[in-house]
Amino acid sequence: MGDRESGPRGPRCIALVGPFQSGKTTLLEAILARTGAIQRQGTVDAGTTVGDASKEARHHKMSVEVTVATATFMGDSYTFLDCPGSVEFVHDMRAVLPAIDAAVVVCEADDRKLAQLQLVMRELEDLKIPRFLFLNKIDKADTQMRESLKLLQPASRVPLLLRQIPIFKNEIITGFVDLALERAFVYREHAPSEVIALDGEAIESQKDARFSMLETLADHDDELMEQLLADIPPPRDRVFDDLAKELRDGVVCPVLMGVATRTNGVLRLLKALRHESPGIAATGKRLGVKASGEAVATVLKTFHTTHGGKLSIARVLNGQISDSVTLSSPNGEAGRVAGVFKLLGQSTEKRGPAAVGETIALGKLDNAKTGDTLSSGKQPHPTVAALKPYPGVLAIAISAKERKDDVKLGLALSKLLEEDPSLTMFQNPETHEMVVWGQGEMHLRVAAERLAERFGIAIERRRPTVGYRETIRKPIQQRGRHKKQSGGHGQFGDVVLDIKPQPRNSGFTFEDKITGGVVPRNYIPSVEEGILDALKHGPLGFPVVDVAVALIDGSYHAVDSSDMAFRIAGRIGITEALPQCQPVLLEPIHMVEISCPSEASTKINAILSGRRGQILGFDTREGWEGWDIVRAMMPESEIGDLIIEIRSATAGVGSFTFKFDHMAELTGKPAEQIVAAKRAAAE
Ligand SMILES: Nc1nc2c(ncn2[C@@H]2O[C@H](COP(=O)(O)OP(=O)(O)O)[C@@H](O)[C@H]2O)c(=O)[nH]1
Ligand SMILES: [Mg+2]
């Protein structure tokens, strides 16, 4: 059976994706063992796999980033990308997807993981990436194949196409029938399956299953439909052609099965990839790669090794890339390649030039980042796969434990952000806090561990400060007087201020209403400065906003008055006035949009109400059947850890975005607590 797509397809790039803990890392290990890339198959539980080799991954016993490993199967090169399944690390998967030829979606027949499976499938469907489903852990399966498929079907927008059916012996799966090949195999542990003859009952169930596979295929192939209706057995080649074509067109999702821990079903999977997955020609076309003699590549991942410097993992989409070539991206020069490497997890091996289709690591491209399209031509190639990271949903404020590490922390953070664009950072100008936003608790924890581990910085973590403000509800006129006569030169400043509350969001205004020069003009800016000084910390401890202050009267002294004296007078006026103006706390309110499966909407509703949210409405999520968008106004203090509750109410798949909307008054007990906490912190 030869390749049926015209011409050789070259080196392939395949992602292993799917829900958390479905066996992707184990499957990668099985593939590497089966192809001879490694001598012995390690296990996740013993911490001996090629994937998850970083300290953080081993420590948490989960994938926290993509693992890249290249193997050779039947003379062709395959690079596998083992993607993390956890929603908190999903950005690493999203960054590699556009450039792959096909995805293997590893899953179990487990309804608790259905929502996550659906999320991954949608991502692939939207990007039009051909995908196989690999039903793993069938050694533990207690449902019939047909039942499993029925359970999983809602996760896919296109029909799941059963390619194999299991063979049972004493209720244990001992092998499978390949419905396209019409051949039966028995599993052998860590060895290729053995072909056996089908008998009696097995022949019948094989026929039924094969017929329903063909029926599904025939939905997109009229000739096949006619053959089926006329009871003409379609030629095997035609079936294989259809399988490959319909996979490529994304109109079906073929289902294979196996046991990754025992390397069962792995060879069939590899053969399916070999014969049916498209190659770089089709992928380049999907990405709009321009044909030319120049090298074009896209960066799938970036990381900084402790000793080897920066590595950019890239797939060559056109031409070839060799050492020392200078590459550019649409943002300018990316750098000069210092070494082309083959990857097997954390081990790198220097190699010769990389040909089209290959996935390799390029050394020291200082200005390349994940998602960049690199090219060697004079004109940079347009970006083939623009990357939009999800906005952060959880934040921590961090600082170096030791002052001397401040600069080092800044540098390390910028490297970390370069590796992981789903982390964002901003410096709060008021509190000087460094606030890092990420995709969840584990994501932020791993980021902190990396800073400690890789960059050797001890850091402290805190909850970020909420941006409370305060304002006043009553107007007042107040005199502010500063008079000091000690020895020689005295100080004298005297002002009368008219202070008024203003509508929300109007900020601060200052007006000079002095007539007759009772306060000389040159001192007036100092009065305003003094007022601003005092407004930084109102009587409740927070910045004061939405007030209008007019300078209406005052007096001066020919010798003792000065800028400083008037500045102090302005400050005194405000400081004495505000406590008499019924100060009130303001809290930031954000417009929150939660996206969740419809069945979770009621729970989400309850969560929002429990957090002082004001629900504005529900909508169905566009293009996402069975999902809702819930909109609400929520206080910032309640958003801090909102994601944790949303995820627990939605089997991990719910998410939200938020945007500042307005400041609202906060009174009563909650306000008192905030003011008390602020006082305690200031002492
Ligand atoms: N029984 C059984 N367990 C499996 C199989 N594949 C993986 N596992 C186990 O499932 C757990 C999660 O595997 P892992 O490869 O880390 O999943 P990932 O999160 O998808 O990468 C580990 O304890 C594996 O040993 C399988 O085929 N059968
Ligand atoms: Mg994993």
Side-chain angles (χ1 to χ4, degrees), residues 24-26 52 62-63 82-85:
K24 299 172 292 295
T25 301
T26 309
D52 298 357
M62 66 184 280
S63 303
D82 169 23
C83 299

Side-chain angles (χ1 to χ4, degrees), residues 478-483 491-497 519 523 526-531 533-534 551 553-555 561-576:
Q478 173 74 41
R479 166 156 257 137
R481 201 174 147 88
H482 178 59
K483 186 174 175 187
Q491 294 179 39
F492 184 86
D494 175 36
V495 296
V496 178
L497 305 174
V519 176
Y523 294 139
S526 300
V527 176
E528 187 178 355
E529 275 169 36
I531 292 169
D533 287 345
L551 174 59
D553 201 359
S555 61
S561 281
S562 65
D563 280 336
M564 184 49 85
F566 270 100
R567 184 168 178 165
I568 295 171
R571 193 158 72 206
I572 290 172
I574 292 291
T575 308
E576 287 180 0

Side-chain angles (χ1 to χ4, degrees), residues 265-344:
V266 172
L267 191 61
R268 292 310 319 159
L269 171 66
L270 286 167
K271 289 203 168 165
L273 289 173
R274 175 176 165 81
H275 294 297
E276 291 158 38
S277 105
I280 186 64
T283 303
K285 211 155 128 198
R286 169 164 54 77
L287 293 174
V289 176
K290 290 185 191 158
S292 73
E294 313 292 355
V296 180
T298 177
V299 181
L300 312 181
K301 180 173 171 59
T302 304
F303 62 91
H304 293 267
T305 60
T306 316
H307 304 295
K310 181 175 169 181
L311 285 179
S312 304
I313 295 171
R315 185 161 198 219
V316 185
L317 303 174
N318 194 55
Q320 71 160 35
I321 292 185
S322 41
D323 203 357
S324 303
V325 67
T326 299
L327 297 172
S328 53
S329 77
N331 314 321
E333 192 174 304
R336 186 160 175 252
V337 175
V340 178
F341 303 90
K342 174 184 165 180
L343 288 170
L344 192 75

Side-chain angles (χ1 to χ4, degrees), residues 18-27 43-45 52 61-63 82-83 85 106 136-140 258-262:
F20 187 45
Q21 293 266 306
S22 57
K24 299 172 292 295
T25 301
T26 309
L27 180 62
T43 68
V44 170
D45 302 303
D52 298 357
K61 280 203 193 303
M62 66 184 280
S63 303
D82 169 23
C83 299
V106 183
N136 190 33
K137 303 196 187 181
I138 56 166
D139 54 331
K140 295 205 311 194
V259 184
T261 40
R262 296 161 53 102

Side-chain angles (χ1 to χ4, degrees), residues 386-514:
L387 191 61
K388 254 206 236 120
Y390 290 134
V393 291
L394 191 70
I396 45 168
I398 62 171
S399 55
K401 261 202 182 110
E402 294 180 49
R403 244 340 230 298
K404 68 172 174 52
D405 281 342
D406 276 356
V407 175
K408 215 164 137 194
L409 176 64
L411 287 174
L413 269 172
S414 66
K415 280 187 181 170
L416 204 62
L417 263 50
E418 190 183 28
E419 286 185 5
D420 183 350
S422 73
L423 281 172
T424 46
M425 178 183 73
F426 90 105
Q427 181 126 27
N428 184 331
E430 244 169 67
T431 59
H432 304 291
E433 275 174 345
M434 200 99 89
V435 181
V436 179
W437 280 91
Q439 304 300 317
E441 274 178 306
M442 186 58 93
H443 185 216
L444 290 171
R445 187 177 310 161
V446 167
E449 285 168 4
R450 282 192 182 138
L451 287 173
E453 178 63 27
R454 218 158 345 132
F455 303 102
I457 306 168
I459 64 160
E460 264 168 3
R461 289 186 268 176
R462 263 167 296 111
R463 284 183 79 155
T465 315
V466 173
Y468 293 111
R469 298 283 182 272
E470 57 181 273
T471 191
I472 51 170
R473 287 190 281 194
K474 229 181 77 182
I476 198 171
Q477 284 191 2
Q478 173 74 41
R479 166 156 257 137
R481 201 174 147 88
H482 178 59
K483 186 174 175 187
K484 218 169 169 187
Q485 263 148 351
S486 49
H489 220 16
Q491 294 179 39
F492 184 86
D494 175 36
V495 296
V496 178
L497 305 174
D498 183 37
I499 303 165
K500 287 198 183 106
Q502 292 293 296
R504 279 303 76 76
N505 236 347
S506 43
F508 164 74
T509 54
F510 175 74
E511 205 180 339
D512 164 17
K513 287 191 176 167
I514 293 296

Side-chain angles (χ1 to χ4, degrees), residues 52 93 114 142 162 183 238 244 246 251 365 420 493 521 540 574:
D52 298 357
M93 169 190 88
L114 198 63
D142 52 8
L162 197 57
R183 238 184 247 162
R238 165 124 213 154
E246 295 190 15
V251 293
L365 291 176
D420 183 350
R521 179 161 295 144
L540 305 180
I574 292 291

